[in-house]
């Protein structure tokens, strides 16, 4: 049967918006991939693997009674944006910036605050919660890595965290995914730990739904995974 583990998951208000915090080990660094633009919920695949990751900064002034208004998932090293609240500081920034690529979007990673880069996503989340006054947030835009997995008679062989718009792979053991990794001709095609899956055969949804799409596949399935620096 598929490896299964229990994880602590907490939902609470963060800066006027929801926080979804997944506590998982993230000792393996994500691969450095090329940047793409995100248009709403859509992520475009990278075409040049030698491009450097797209990083930008956002400046906001948090005064009493205001909120950043971001719905965040924190897992391992990554503090990821799930959504933005209307009328919040981030929403105002997005409406006022003259650079469209500098708008904070779904799947963006909030990676530094006032020049300091916390080691874990939950640490970044806590610093955001306590921040006040003029703050500078460093943001990283992910890329999508598309990988086709050939289904075998074995179970998937993965342990996962069920996210609200992604599936986080936290362990790979004997099964379809490990067989795929052994056959992979390039490092970029390996499904490593952690991997954040956001679509299966072009279909999006909750983590549990993405897992179901993989399990129900009869021959092969295409994964779309977020890649961060």
């Amino acid at each position: 049967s598929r490896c299964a583990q229990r994880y602590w998951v907490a939902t609470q208000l963060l800066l006027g918006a929801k926080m979804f915090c997944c506590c998982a080990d993230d000792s393996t660094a994500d691969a450095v991939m090329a940047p793409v633009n995100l248009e709403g919920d859509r992520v475009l695949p990278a075409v040049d693997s030698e491009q450097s990751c797209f990083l930008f900064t956002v400046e906001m002034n948090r005064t009493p009674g205001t909120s950043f208004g971001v719905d965040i998932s924190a897992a391992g090293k990554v503090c990821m944006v799930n959504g933005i609240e209307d009328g919040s500081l981030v929403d105002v920034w997005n409406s006022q910036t003259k650079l469209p690529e500098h708008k904070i979007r779904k799947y963006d990673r909030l990676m530094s605050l006032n020049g300091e880069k916390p080691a874990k996503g939950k640490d970044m989340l806590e610093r955001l919660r306590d921040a006040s006054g003029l703050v500078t947030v460093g943001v990283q835009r992910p890329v999508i890595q598309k990988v086709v997995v050939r289904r075998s008679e074995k179970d998937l062989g993965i342990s996962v965290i069920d996210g609200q718009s992604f599936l986080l792979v936290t362990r790979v053991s004997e099964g379809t995914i490990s067989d795929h990794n052994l056959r992979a001709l390039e490092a970029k095609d390996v499904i490593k730990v952690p991997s954040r899956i956001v679509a299966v055969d072009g279909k999006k949804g909750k983590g549990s739904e993405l897992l179901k799409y993989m399990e129900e596949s009869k021959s092969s399935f295409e994964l779309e995974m977020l890649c961060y620096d």
Side-chain angles (χ1 to χ4, degrees):
S1 63
R2 184 180 74 251
C3 291
Q5 297 181 357
R6 291 183 178 272
Y7 298 90
W8 176 80
V9 180
T11 303
Q12 58 181 292
L13 289 179
L14 169 67
L15 315 177
K18 290 183 295 182
M19 175 193 78
F20 175 76
C21 181
C22 309
C23 293
D25 180 27
D26 194 355
S27 57
T28 305
D30 291 344
V32 176
M33 304 294 292
V36 295
N37 290 325
L38 303 183
E39 299 176 358
D41 289 348
R42 188 163 151 270
V43 187
L44 303 179
V47 294
D48 182 357
S49 61
E50 295 186 358
Q51 287 182 331
S52 58
C53 290
F54 178 43
L55 305 174
F56 61 99
T57 58
V58 172
E59 291 188 352
M60 292 170 284
N61 187 21
R62 190 185 185 201
T63 57
T66 63
S67 70
F68 292 110
V70 282
D71 186 345
I72 288 176
S73 295
K77 296 187 303 180
V78 176
C79 184
M80 186 187 80
V81 175
N82 294 312
I84 300 166
E85 188 178 60
D86 291 342
S88 64
L89 291 175
V90 171
D91 184 50
V92 172
W93 164 269
N94 284 349
S95 65
Q96 292 181 350
T97 180
K98 297 180 180 179
L99 299 173
E101 66 273 19
H102 285 194
K103 293 182 178 181
I104 295 179
R105 306 170 188 175
K106 186 176 181 178
Y107 301 142
D108 279 355
R109 174 189 180 186
L110 307 183
M111 61 185 304
S112 68
L113 181 67
N114 295 332
E116 296 185 5
K117 183 179 178 181
K120 296 182 179 180
K122 65 179 181 179
D123 295 334
M124 179 65 184
L125 187 150
E126 290 171 358
R127 294 191 185 193
L128 280 169
R129 182 191 294 120
D130 298 333
S132 62
L134 185 62
V135 297
T136 301
V137 179
V139 184
Q140 182 183 47
R141 184 139 299 148
V143 297
I144 279 290
Q145 176 66 39
K146 292 187 176 182
V147 176
V148 176
V149 177
R150 189 168 71 230
R151 195 73 164 92
S152 70
E153 295 180 356
K154 301 177 183 178
D155 292 322
L156 294 174
I158 53 176
S159 297
V160 300
I161 286 178
D162 177 7
Q164 64 186 66
S165 61
F166 66 95
L167 185 70
L168 180 68
V169 178
T170 60
R171 183 183 178 189
V172 176
S173 55
E174 177 65 23
T176 293
I177 300 302
S178 63
D179 288 350
H180 163 83
N181 287 346
L182 290 173
R183 292 192 301 266
L185 299 179
E186 299 183 57
K188 66 181 180 64
D189 294 326
V190 172
I191 300 171
K192 59 187 181 298
V193 174
S195 288
R196 294 166 179 81
I197 299 169
V198 294
V200 178
D201 290 331
K203 294 179 288 188
K204 297 186 178 183
K206 297 179 180 179
S208 57
E209 294 171 333
L210 297 174
L211 183 61
K212 184 179 180 180
Y213 297 149
M214 296 166 65
E215 292 175 328
E216 293 179 345
S217 175
K218 301 301 182 183
S219 56
S220 65
F221 51 86
E222 182 183 65
L223 301 179
E224 296 182 22
M225 302 183 295
L226 299 178
C227 295
Y228 299 91
D229 184 6

